[in-house]
Amino acid sequence: MSEPSQDAAPGGAAHDVTVPDITAPDVYAICAASDIEKGAAKAFSLSRITEAGEHRPFAIFVVRTHANEVFGYVNVCPHEGKWLNFGDGEFFSRDRAFLRCGRHGALFEIDSGLCIAGDCKGQSLEPVAVTLIDGEVCLCGVPLVEDEGPDPFRDGDSDETMDIMIHPE
C-alpha cells in the first residue's frame, strides 16, 4: 500500500494524494507472432532468474491457434519430465487437435494443457503467461536473463518489452 504524499493544490493549499503502488510484471518479447505459423507451435530455450538470483534453463513452447490465440506451456510432460516434442520434434497429435507427448503419446488439450489420454491423464502441463503485444509474442511474469548490450537494429525507441537471450535447442 502506498502512503499519502503532500502536494500543493491549486491556490497553494496542501492536500493528501494517494500514489498507487503499482509494480509492472516482467514482460519479454520472445518472437514475432509471424515466426509461429497459425496452427503451429514453437519451442524456446530461455534462461530464467530464480528467487535466489540464479540463472536456470527454462524450456517453454508457444502454440498459436488458427484464431490467432497464443498459449504457452513449460516444455515438460508431467508423466516423465521429458520435452513434449521429444523424438520427432512435433507438438501435435496427427489430426492436430491435441498436444502430444513424443515419448509416450499422452494427449493434452491445447487451450488448457489438461491431459485427456495417456499415463498422466488428469494432470496438466504447466502454463506460462503469454500474450500478443504489437505483433510480438510476449512472456509475462517470469524474470528472464536479458540480452547484454544495445540492439544494433533498434533505433533507440524504448517499448514495454525487454530483450532476452534465447538459446538454440
Side-chain angles (χ1 to χ4, degrees):
M1 180 83 186
S2 60
E3 297 187 20
S5 64
Q6 294 288 325
D7 287 340
H15 68 282
D16 289 337
V17 175
T18 301
V19 179
D21 182 17
I22 299 173
T23 304
D26 296 314
V27 178
Y28 299 90
I30 57 174
C31 74
S34 60
D35 290 347
I36 306 172
E37 292 181 32
K38 289 184 178 182
K42 185 172 183 172
F44 298 91
S45 182
L46 308 173
S47 185
R48 76 183 299 171
I49 303 170
T50 67
E51 289 182 14
E54 300 171 331
H55 299 184
R56 295 282 185 240
F58 188 53
I60 68 168
F61 68 99
V62 176
V63 178
R64 183 174 175 211
T65 67
H66 288 286
N68 206 35
E69 295 175 295
V70 291
F71 298 97
Y73 298 99
V74 174
N75 193 1
V76 174
C77 178
H79 175 236
E80 292 184 348
K82 303 289 184 195
W83 290 2
L84 254 63
N85 57 330
F86 183 86
D88 63 7
E90 279 295 313
F91 284 101
F92 295 100
S93 58
R94 286 190 183 164
D95 63 2
R96 302 189 71 78
F98 298 97
L99 299 171
R100 176 188 58 86
C101 176
R103 180 171 276 305
H104 67 282
L107 298 176
F108 301 87
E109 294 177 340
I110 293 171
D111 61 346
S112 71
L114 177 67
C115 181
I116 58 157
D119 293 338
C120 50
K121 186 174 180 176
Q123 296 180 29
S124 293
L125 300 172
E126 182 181 341
V128 293
V130 292
T131 191
L132 294 174
I133 301 174
D134 295 330
E136 300 282 332
V137 176
C138 297
L139 175 69
C140 308
V142 178
L144 299 176
V145 176
E146 294 183 55
D147 278 336
E148 307 270 329
D151 183 343
F153 300 105
R154 251 201 201 152
D155 59 7
D157 291 337
S158 66
D159 57 19
E160 298 293 322
T161 61
M162 296 176 234
D163 294 326
I164 50 144
M165 289 188 287
I166 299 177
H167 306 282
E169 292 188 323

